[in-house]
mmCIF file of all heavy atoms in Angstrom:
data_model
loop_
_atom_site.group_PDB
_atom_site.id
_atom_site.type_symbol
_atom_site.label_atom_id
_atom_site.label_comp_id
_atom_site.label_asym_id
_atom_site.label_seq_id
_atom_site.Cartn_x
_atom_site.Cartn_y
_atom_site.Cartn_z
ATOM 1 N N ARG D 804 5.935 1.268 13.313
ATOM 2 C CA ARG D 804 6.348 2.466 12.567
ATOM 3 C C ARG D 804 5.380 2.809 11.441
ATOM 4 O O ARG D 804 5.152 3.979 11.151
ATOM 5 C CB ARG D 804 7.748 2.265 11.976
ATOM 6 C CG ARG D 804 8.823 2.007 13.005
ATOM 7 C CD ARG D 804 10.229 2.013 12.380
ATOM 8 N NE ARG D 804 10.387 0.979 11.356
ATOM 9 C CZ ARG D 804 10.734 1.227 10.103
ATOM 10 N NH1 ARG D 804 10.920 2.473 9.694
ATOM 11 N NH2 ARG D 804 10.889 0.233 9.250
ATOM 12 N N PHE D 805 4.834 1.786 10.793
ATOM 13 C CA PHE D 805 3.931 1.999 9.659
ATOM 14 C C PHE D 805 2.508 1.643 10.069
ATOM 15 O O PHE D 805 2.286 0.731 10.867
ATOM 16 C CB PHE D 805 4.327 1.110 8.478
ATOM 17 C CG PHE D 805 5.622 1.473 7.807
ATOM 18 C CD1 PHE D 805 6.498 2.408 8.346
ATOM 19 C CD2 PHE D 805 5.964 0.858 6.614
ATOM 20 C CE1 PHE D 805 7.696 2.729 7.716
ATOM 21 C CE2 PHE D 805 7.155 1.158 5.972
ATOM 22 C CZ PHE D 805 8.016 2.095 6.526
ATOM 23 N N THR D 806 1.548 2.352 9.472
ATOM 24 C CA THR D 806 0.135 2.066 9.698
ATOM 25 C C THR D 806 -0.598 2.043 8.372
ATOM 26 O O THR D 806 -0.529 3.007 7.604
ATOM 27 C CB THR D 806 -0.507 3.120 10.610
ATOM 28 O OG1 THR D 806 0.194 3.163 11.854
ATOM 29 C CG2 THR D 806 -1.969 2.769 10.874
ATOM 30 N N ILE D 807 -1.294 0.944 8.118
ATOM 31 C CA ILE D 807 -2.110 0.843 6.909
ATOM 32 C C ILE D 807 -3.564 1.122 7.268
ATOM 33 O O ILE D 807 -4.037 0.738 8.348
ATOM 34 C CB ILE D 807 -1.954 -0.545 6.251
ATOM 35 C CG1 ILE D 807 -2.624 -0.567 4.866
ATOM 36 C CG2 ILE D 807 -2.471 -1.662 7.146
ATOM 37 C CD1 ILE D 807 -2.315 -1.822 4.053
ATOM 38 N N SER D 808 -4.259 1.804 6.371
ATOM 39 C CA SER D 808 -5.676 2.073 6.574
ATOM 40 C C SER D 808 -6.356 2.138 5.211
ATOM 41 O O SER D 808 -5.692 2.223 4.180
ATOM 42 C CB SER D 808 -5.871 3.384 7.350
ATOM 43 O OG SER D 808 -5.333 4.473 6.620
ATOM 44 N N ARG D 809 -7.675 2.103 5.229
ATOM 45 C CA ARG D 809 -8.412 2.159 3.966
ATOM 46 C C ARG D 809 -9.690 2.962 4.145
ATOM 47 O O ARG D 809 -10.271 2.989 5.243
ATOM 48 C CB ARG D 809 -8.725 0.750 3.446
ATOM 49 C CG ARG D 809 -9.600 -0.081 4.337
ATOM 50 C CD ARG D 809 -9.652 -1.548 3.867
ATOM 51 N NE ARG D 809 -10.467 -1.727 2.672
ATOM 52 C CZ ARG D 809 -10.545 -2.871 2.001
ATOM 53 N NH1 ARG D 809 -9.834 -3.922 2.391
ATOM 54 N NH2 ARG D 809 -11.326 -2.960 0.923
ATOM 55 N N ASP D 810 -10.112 3.585 3.058
ATOM 56 C CA ASP D 810 -11.374 4.305 3.009
ATOM 57 C C ASP D 810 -12.206 3.614 1.940
ATOM 58 O O ASP D 810 -11.985 3.820 0.741
ATOM 59 C CB ASP D 810 -11.139 5.779 2.665
ATOM 60 C CG ASP D 810 -12.411 6.611 2.709
ATOM 61 O OD1 ASP D 810 -13.503 6.049 2.470
ATOM 62 O OD2 ASP D 810 -12.313 7.821 2.943
ATOM 63 N N ASN D 811 -13.146 2.790 2.355
ATOM 64 C CA ASN D 811 -13.905 1.995 1.393
ATOM 65 C C ASN D 811 -14.805 2.860 0.518
ATOM 66 O O ASN D 811 -15.079 2.512 -0.627
ATOM 67 C CB ASN D 811 -14.738 0.947 2.125
ATOM 68 C CG ASN D 811 -13.868 -0.125 2.756
ATOM 69 O OD1 ASN D 811 -12.803 -0.482 2.229
ATOM 70 N ND2 ASN D 811 -14.288 -0.648 3.897
ATOM 71 N N ALA D 812 -15.252 3.973 1.042
ATOM 72 C CA ALA D 812 -16.107 4.864 0.247
ATOM 73 C C ALA D 812 -15.328 5.476 -0.910
ATOM 74 O O ALA D 812 -15.904 5.788 -1.954
ATOM 75 C CB ALA D 812 -16.683 5.958 1.136
ATOM 76 N N LYS D 813 -14.022 5.642 -0.711
ATOM 77 C CA LYS D 813 -13.181 6.235 -1.750
ATOM 78 C C LYS D 813 -12.347 5.193 -2.493
ATOM 79 O O LYS D 813 -11.565 5.550 -3.370
ATOM 80 C CB LYS D 813 -12.244 7.265 -1.130
ATOM 81 C CG LYS D 813 -12.945 8.468 -0.527
ATOM 82 C CD LYS D 813 -11.937 9.463 0.048
ATOM 83 C CE LYS D 813 -12.635 10.679 0.630
ATOM 84 N NZ LYS D 813 -11.655 11.655 1.196
ATOM 85 N N ASN D 814 -12.505 3.915 -2.112
ATOM 86 C CA ASN D 814 -11.681 2.851 -2.726
ATOM 87 C C ASN D 814 -10.195 3.206 -2.672
ATOM 88 O O ASN D 814 -9.470 3.064 -3.667
ATOM 89 C CB ASN D 814 -12.111 2.581 -4.171
ATOM 90 C CG ASN D 814 -13.390 1.774 -4.251
ATOM 91 O OD1 ASN D 814 -13.826 1.170 -3.269
ATOM 92 N ND2 ASN D 814 -14.007 1.760 -5.408
ATOM 93 N N THR D 815 -9.756 3.646 -1.520
ATOM 94 C CA THR D 815 -8.387 4.121 -1.363
ATOM 95 C C THR D 815 -7.737 3.455 -0.157
ATOM 96 O O THR D 815 -8.388 3.287 0.883
ATOM 97 C CB THR D 815 -8.351 5.642 -1.203
ATOM 98 O OG1 THR D 815 -8.924 6.250 -2.375
ATOM 99 C CG2 THR D 815 -6.926 6.151 -1.042
ATOM 100 N N VAL D 816 -6.475 3.099 -0.325
ATOM 101 C CA VAL D 816 -5.698 2.546 0.775
ATOM 102 C C VAL D 816 -4.516 3.473 1.036
ATOM 103 O O VAL D 816 -3.963 4.067 0.096
ATOM 104 C CB VAL D 816 -5.231 1.104 0.482
ATOM 105 C CG1 VAL D 816 -4.358 1.047 -0.765
ATOM 106 C CG2 VAL D 816 -4.540 0.483 1.673
ATOM 107 N N TYR D 817 -4.151 3.589 2.292
ATOM 108 C CA TYR D 817 -3.081 4.486 2.710
ATOM 109 C C TYR D 817 -2.001 3.709 3.460
ATOM 110 O O TYR D 817 -2.277 2.680 4.075
ATOM 111 C CB TYR D 817 -3.621 5.592 3.625
ATOM 112 C CG TYR D 817 -4.777 6.364 3.053
ATOM 113 C CD1 TYR D 817 -6.085 6.022 3.368
ATOM 114 C CD2 TYR D 817 -4.558 7.440 2.203
ATOM 115 C CE1 TYR D 817 -7.162 6.731 2.851
ATOM 116 C CE2 TYR D 817 -5.624 8.165 1.678
ATOM 117 C CZ TYR D 817 -6.924 7.799 2.001
ATOM 118 O OH TYR D 817 -7.979 8.507 1.483
ATOM 119 N N LEU D 818 -0.800 4.246 3.434
ATOM 120 C CA LEU D 818 0.282 3.722 4.253
ATOM 121 C C LEU D 818 0.991 4.908 4.903
ATOM 122 O O LEU D 818 1.675 5.668 4.215
ATOM 123 C CB LEU D 818 1.269 2.894 3.436
ATOM 124 C CG LEU D 818 2.355 2.204 4.251
ATOM 125 C CD1 LEU D 818 1.753 1.108 5.137
ATOM 126 C CD2 LEU D 818 3.444 1.606 3.354
ATOM 127 N N GLN D 819 0.787 5.065 6.192
ATOM 128 C CA GLN D 819 1.484 6.094 6.959
ATOM 129 C C GLN D 819 2.804 5.507 7.429
ATOM 130 O O GLN D 819 2.811 4.507 8.158
ATOM 131 C CB GLN D 819 0.645 6.548 8.151
ATOM 132 C CG GLN D 819 1.323 7.589 9.022
ATOM 133 C CD GLN D 819 1.526 8.920 8.312
ATOM 134 O OE1 GLN D 819 0.626 9.399 7.621
ATOM 135 N NE2 GLN D 819 2.705 9.500 8.460
ATOM 136 N N MET D 820 3.890 6.114 7.020
ATOM 137 C CA MET D 820 5.228 5.610 7.336
ATOM 138 C C MET D 820 5.935 6.627 8.229
ATOM 139 O O MET D 820 6.202 7.753 7.784
ATOM 140 C CB MET D 820 6.027 5.367 6.055
ATOM 141 C CG MET D 820 5.315 4.427 5.075
ATOM 142 S SD MET D 820 6.345 3.993 3.662
ATOM 143 C CE MET D 820 6.440 5.574 2.854
ATOM 144 N N ASN D 821 6.218 6.233 9.450
ATOM 145 C CA ASN D 821 6.910 7.095 10.409
ATOM 146 C C ASN D 821 8.268 6.492 10.767
ATOM 147 O O ASN D 821 8.511 5.314 10.540
ATOM 148 C CB ASN D 821 6.068 7.265 11.673
ATOM 149 C CG ASN D 821 4.742 7.935 11.410
ATOM 150 O OD1 ASN D 821 4.605 8.765 10.504
ATOM 151 N ND2 ASN D 821 3.731 7.584 12.207
ATOM 152 N N SER D 822 9.103 7.319 11.347
ATOM 153 C CA SER D 822 10.433 6.869 11.787
ATOM 154 C C SER D 822 11.150 6.110 10.681
ATOM 155 O O SER D 822 11.696 5.022 10.890
ATOM 156 C CB SER D 822 10.308 5.978 13.040
ATOM 157 O OG SER D 822 9.659 6.665 14.081
ATOM 158 N N LEU D 823 11.154 6.689 9.515
ATOM 159 C CA LEU D 823 11.723 6.015 8.350
ATOM 160 C C LEU D 823 13.226 5.813 8.505
ATOM 161 O O LEU D 823 13.935 6.665 9.072
ATOM 162 C CB LEU D 823 11.406 6.799 7.085
ATOM 163 C CG LEU D 823 9.973 6.597 6.574
ATOM 164 C CD1 LEU D 823 9.554 7.719 5.643
ATOM 165 C CD2 LEU D 823 9.860 5.253 5.864
ATOM 166 N N LYS D 824 13.688 4.691 7.962
ATOM 167 C CA LYS D 824 15.092 4.309 8.023
ATOM 168 C C LYS D 824 15.646 4.173 6.596
ATOM 169 O O LYS D 824 14.881 3.897 5.666
ATOM 170 C CB LYS D 824 15.242 2.972 8.739
ATOM 171 C CG LYS D 824 14.633 2.921 10.126
ATOM 172 C CD LYS D 824 14.735 1.517 10.711
ATOM 173 C CE LYS D 824 14.111 1.433 12.097
ATOM 174 N NZ LYS D 824 14.205 0.058 12.660
ATOM 175 N N PRO D 825 16.950 4.304 6.443
ATOM 176 C CA PRO D 825 17.526 4.117 5.087
ATOM 177 C C PRO D 825 17.161 2.767 4.466
ATOM 178 O O PRO D 825 16.962 2.680 3.253
ATOM 179 C CB PRO D 825 19.026 4.233 5.343
ATOM 180 C CG PRO D 825 19.119 5.140 6.527
ATOM 181 C CD PRO D 825 17.953 4.784 7.391
ATOM 182 N N GLU D 826 17.012 1.748 5.291
ATOM 183 C CA GLU D 826 16.677 0.424 4.760
ATOM 184 C C GLU D 826 15.230 0.320 4.288
ATOM 185 O O GLU D 826 14.843 -0.689 3.703
ATOM 186 C CB GLU D 826 16.960 -0.676 5.791
ATOM 187 C CG GLU D 826 16.391 -0.428 7.168
ATOM 188 C CD GLU D 826 17.406 0.209 8.114
ATOM 189 O OE1 GLU D 826 18.138 1.131 7.692
ATOM 190 O OE2 GLU D 826 17.438 -0.218 9.295
ATOM 191 N N ASP D 827 14.430 1.351 4.524
ATOM 192 C CA ASP D 827 13.069 1.390 3.972
ATOM 193 C C ASP D 827 13.063 1.843 2.513
ATOM 194 O O ASP D 827 12.015 1.794 1.855
ATOM 195 C CB ASP D 827 12.184 2.340 4.787
ATOM 196 C CG ASP D 827 11.965 1.875 6.208
ATOM 197 O OD1 ASP D 827 11.780 0.659 6.423
ATOM 198 O OD2 ASP D 827 11.974 2.729 7.123
ATOM 199 N N THR D 828 14.213 2.289 2.026
ATOM 200 C CA THR D 828 14.304 2.754 0.646
ATOM 201 C C THR D 828 13.937 1.634 -0.316
ATOM 202 O O THR D 828 14.504 0.545 -0.266
ATOM 203 C CB THR D 828 15.725 3.256 0.341
ATOM 204 O OG1 THR D 828 15.995 4.410 1.145
ATOM 205 C CG2 THR D 828 15.868 3.616 -1.130
ATOM 206 N N ALA D 829 12.956 1.913 -1.192
ATOM 207 C CA ALA D 829 12.464 0.904 -2.130
ATOM 208 C C ALA D 829 11.389 1.543 -3.001
ATOM 209 O O ALA D 829 10.945 2.665 -2.743
ATOM 210 C CB ALA D 829 11.865 -0.287 -1.386
ATOM 211 N N VAL D 830 10.974 0.801 -4.011
ATOM 212 C CA VAL D 830 9.758 1.150 -4.741
ATOM 213 C C VAL D 830 8.603 0.460 -4.025
ATOM 214 O O VAL D 830 8.662 -0.747 -3.763
ATOM 215 C CB VAL D 830 9.819 0.707 -6.215
ATOM 216 C CG1 VAL D 830 8.507 1.037 -6.919
ATOM 217 C CG2 VAL D 830 10.995 1.371 -6.921
ATOM 218 N N TYR D 831 7.573 1.230 -3.710
ATOM 219 C CA TYR D 831 6.415 0.708 -2.999
ATOM 220 C C TYR D 831 5.252 0.534 -3.972
ATOM 221 O O TYR D 831 4.902 1.469 -4.709
ATOM 222 C CB TYR D 831 6.028 1.641 -1.854
ATOM 223 C CG TYR D 831 6.962 1.511 -0.678
ATOM 224 C CD1 TYR D 831 8.272 1.997 -0.747
ATOM 225 C CD2 TYR D 831 6.564 0.874 0.499
ATOM 226 C CE1 TYR D 831 9.152 1.847 0.309
ATOM 227 C CE2 TYR D 831 7.437 0.726 1.565
ATOM 228 C CZ TYR D 831 8.722 1.211 1.463
ATOM 229 O OH TYR D 831 9.592 1.057 2.516
ATOM 230 N N TYR D 832 4.671 -0.654 -3.951
ATOM 231 C CA TYR D 832 3.585 -1.010 -4.866
ATOM 232 C C TYR D 832 2.297 -1.265 -4.085
ATOM 233 O O TYR D 832 2.294 -1.982 -3.079
ATOM 234 C CB TYR D 832 3.927 -2.275 -5.645
ATOM 235 C CG TYR D 832 5.105 -2.140 -6.576
ATOM 236 C CD1 TYR D 832 6.385 -2.446 -6.144
ATOM 237 C CD2 TYR D 832 4.935 -1.721 -7.889
ATOM 238 C CE1 TYR D 832 7.480 -2.332 -6.995
ATOM 239 C CE2 TYR D 832 6.012 -1.609 -8.748
ATOM 240 C CZ TYR D 832 7.280 -1.915 -8.288
ATOM 241 O OH TYR D 832 8.350 -1.803 -9.141
ATOM 242 N N CYS D 833 1.242 -0.715 -4.584
ATOM 243 C CA CYS D 833 -0.089 -0.987 -4.052
ATOM 244 C C CYS D 833 -0.630 -2.268 -4.705
ATOM 245 O O CYS D 833 -0.397 -2.508 -5.902
ATOM 246 C CB CYS D 833 -0.999 0.189 -4.372
ATOM 247 S SG CYS D 833 -2.720 -0.033 -3.937
ATOM 248 N N ASN D 834 -1.322 -3.071 -3.931
ATOM 249 C CA ASN D 834 -1.930 -4.301 -4.444
ATOM 250 C C ASN D 834 -3.346 -4.428 -3.908
ATOM 251 O O ASN D 834 -3.582 -4.195 -2.722
ATOM 252 C CB ASN D 834 -1.103 -5.507 -4.010
ATOM 253 C CG ASN D 834 -1.795 -6.831 -4.325
ATOM 254 O OD1 ASN D 834 -2.585 -7.327 -3.514
ATOM 255 N ND2 ASN D 834 -1.514 -7.385 -5.470
ATOM 256 N N VAL D 835 -4.271 -4.797 -4.774
ATOM 257 C CA VAL D 835 -5.630 -5.069 -4.315
ATOM 258 C C VAL D 835 -6.102 -6.391 -4.918
ATOM 259 O O VAL D 835 -5.690 -6.768 -6.021
ATOM 260 C CB VAL D 835 -6.627 -3.948 -4.684
ATOM 261 C CG1 VAL D 835 -6.205 -2.641 -4.051
ATOM 262 C CG2 VAL D 835 -6.785 -3.806 -6.189
ATOM 263 N N LYS D 836 -6.952 -7.077 -4.176
ATOM 264 C CA LYS D 836 -7.539 -8.322 -4.645
ATOM 265 C C LYS D 836 -9.033 -8.110 -4.872
ATOM 266 O O LYS D 836 -9.742 -7.701 -3.944
ATOM 267 C CB LYS D 836 -7.293 -9.445 -3.647
ATOM 268 C CG LYS D 836 -5.834 -9.844 -3.565
ATOM 269 C CD LYS D 836 -5.590 -10.934 -2.554
ATOM 270 C CE LYS D 836 -4.162 -11.437 -2.571
ATOM 271 N NZ LYS D 836 -3.178 -10.375 -2.334
ATOM 272 N N ILE D 837 -9.462 -8.372 -6.072
ATOM 273 C CA ILE D 837 -10.868 -8.231 -6.439
ATOM 274 C C ILE D 837 -11.306 -9.569 -7.014
ATOM 275 O O ILE D 837 -10.763 -10.009 -8.029
ATOM 276 C CB ILE D 837 -11.062 -7.097 -7.458
ATOM 277 C CG1 ILE D 837 -10.579 -5.767 -6.858
ATOM 278 C CG2 ILE D 837 -12.525 -7.001 -7.873
ATOM 279 C CD1 ILE D 837 -10.575 -4.622 -7.832
ATOM 280 N N LEU D 838 -12.285 -10.177 -6.358
ATOM 281 C CA LEU D 838 -12.671 -11.557 -6.648
ATOM 282 C C LEU D 838 -11.407 -12.411 -6.527
ATOM 283 O O LEU D 838 -10.844 -12.493 -5.462
ATOM 284 C CB LEU D 838 -13.316 -11.653 -8.032
ATOM 285 C CG LEU D 838 -14.656 -10.926 -8.188
ATOM 286 C CD1 LEU D 838 -15.221 -11.093 -9.572
ATOM 287 C CD2 LEU D 838 -15.650 -11.398 -7.134
ATOM 288 N N PHE D 839 -10.944 -13.032 -7.586
ATOM 289 C CA PHE D 839 -9.763 -13.882 -7.495
ATOM 290 C C PHE D 839 -8.565 -13.297 -8.227
ATOM 291 O O PHE D 839 -7.589 -13.993 -8.479
ATOM 292 C CB PHE D 839 -10.081 -15.268 -8.045
ATOM 293 C CG PHE D 839 -11.200 -15.942 -7.313
ATOM 294 C CD1 PHE D 839 -12.457 -16.046 -7.880
ATOM 295 C CD2 PHE D 839 -11.006 -16.448 -6.033
ATOM 296 C CE1 PHE D 839 -13.503 -16.648 -7.199
ATOM 297 C CE2 PHE D 839 -12.035 -17.061 -5.343
ATOM 298 C CZ PHE D 839 -13.293 -17.159 -5.927
ATOM 299 N N GLU D 840 -8.619 -12.018 -8.529
ATOM 300 C CA GLU D 840 -7.552 -11.391 -9.303
ATOM 301 C C GLU D 840 -6.745 -10.405 -8.464
ATOM 302 O O GLU D 840 -7.291 -9.695 -7.629
ATOM 303 C CB GLU D 840 -8.138 -10.665 -10.517
ATOM 304 C CG GLU D 840 -8.744 -11.606 -11.560
ATOM 305 C CD GLU D 840 -9.156 -10.863 -12.810
ATOM 306 O OE1 GLU D 840 -9.109 -9.619 -12.797
ATOM 307 O OE2 GLU D 840 -9.524 -11.514 -13.796
ATOM 308 N N ASN D 841 -5.449 -10.374 -8.727
ATOM 309 C CA ASN D 841 -4.554 -9.398 -8.130
ATOM 310 C C ASN D 841 -4.352 -8.244 -9.101
ATOM 311 O O ASN D 841 -4.166 -8.456 -10.294
ATOM 312 C CB ASN D 841 -3.180 -10.016 -7.868
ATOM 313 C CG ASN D 841 -3.106 -10.660 -6.519
ATOM 314 O OD1 ASN D 841 -3.409 -10.040 -5.514
ATOM 315 N ND2 ASN D 841 -2.709 -11.914 -6.483
ATOM 316 N N HIS D 842 -4.347 -7.035 -8.570
ATOM 317 C CA HIS D 842 -4.103 -5.852 -9.376
ATOM 318 C C HIS D 842 -3.008 -5.042 -8.702
ATOM 319 O O HIS D 842 -3.007 -4.889 -7.472
ATOM 320 C CB HIS D 842 -5.369 -5.012 -9.525
ATOM 321 C CG HIS D 842 -6.495 -5.738 -10.177
ATOM 322 N ND1 HIS D 842 -6.703 -5.745 -11.550
ATOM 323 C CD2 HIS D 842 -7.481 -6.516 -9.640
ATOM 324 C CE1 HIS D 842 -7.760 -6.479 -11.821
ATOM 325 N NE2 HIS D 842 -8.246 -6.960 -10.700
ATOM 326 N N TRP D 843 -2.096 -4.499 -9.519
ATOM 327 C CA TRP D 843 -0.936 -3.785 -8.998
ATOM 328 C C TRP D 843 -0.885 -2.349 -9.503
ATOM 329 O O TRP D 843 -1.264 -2.066 -10.654
ATOM 330 C CB TRP D 843 0.347 -4.484 -9.435
ATOM 331 C CG TRP D 843 0.548 -5.822 -8.817
ATOM 332 C CD1 TRP D 843 0.161 -7.028 -9.327
ATOM 333 C CD2 TRP D 843 1.173 -6.108 -7.563
ATOM 334 N NE1 TRP D 843 0.511 -8.035 -8.467
ATOM 335 C CE2 TRP D 843 1.134 -7.495 -7.374
ATOM 336 C CE3 TRP D 843 1.771 -5.313 -6.573
ATOM 337 C CZ2 TRP D 843 1.677 -8.126 -6.242
ATOM 338 C CZ3 TRP D 843 2.299 -5.940 -5.455
ATOM 339 C CH2 TRP D 843 2.243 -7.324 -5.293
ATOM 340 N N GLY D 844 -0.390 -1.466 -8.644
ATOM 341 C CA GLY D 844 -0.109 -0.114 -9.070
ATOM 342 C C GLY D 844 1.227 -0.054 -9.778
ATOM 343 O O GLY D 844 1.951 -1.049 -9.875
ATOM 344 N N GLN D 845 1.564 1.140 -10.251
ATOM 345 C CA GLN D 845 2.789 1.311 -11.035
ATOM 346 C C GLN D 845 4.030 1.455 -10.155
ATOM 347 O O GLN D 845 5.150 1.350 -10.641
ATOM 348 C CB GLN D 845 2.655 2.540 -11.951
ATOM 349 C CG GLN D 845 2.878 3.886 -11.271
ATOM 350 C CD GLN D 845 1.698 4.349 -10.439
ATOM 351 O OE1 GLN D 845 0.662 3.692 -10.345
ATOM 352 N NE2 GLN D 845 1.841 5.534 -9.840
ATOM 353 N N GLY D 846 3.820 1.680 -8.872
ATOM 354 C CA GLY D 846 4.929 1.832 -7.943
ATOM 355 C C GLY D 846 5.287 3.283 -7.712
ATOM 356 O O GLY D 846 5.180 4.118 -8.615
ATOM 357 N N THR D 847 5.710 3.574 -6.496
ATOM 358 C CA THR D 847 6.167 4.910 -6.151
ATOM 359 C C THR D 847 7.464 4.776 -5.351
ATOM 360 O O THR D 847 7.562 3.940 -4.447
ATOM 361 C CB THR D 847 5.093 5.689 -5.361
ATOM 362 O OG1 THR D 847 5.533 7.026 -5.133
ATOM 363 C CG2 THR D 847 4.762 5.035 -4.028
#
């Protein structure tokens, strides 16, 4: 149902979510690892 992809030239990651269900309801957070550190988005 979901597909993750990335555009390295734009430093952007995507999540295509299809056939969504009520149980998918949540705050979604982006995470990236750079060297040995984790970085988080603010959530959507």
Side-chain angles (χ1 to χ4, degrees):
R804 300 188 299 122
F805 291 10
T806 302
I807 189 170
S808 61
R809 62 190 286 173
D810 185 332
N811 291 327
K813 295 181 179 180
N814 284 345
T815 300
V816 60
Y817 306 96
L818 186 67
Q819 178 66 43
M820 305 187 292
N821 298 329
S822 302
L823 282 160
K824 305 175 181 180
E826 50 265 43
D827 295 320
T828 295
V830 178
Y831 284 71
Y832 295 91
C833 174
N834 171 272
V835 299
K836 292 179 174 57
I837 300 173
L838 294 181
F839 301 105
E840 293 187 352
N841 271 307
H842 300 270
W843 292 92
Q845 79 283 359
T847 185

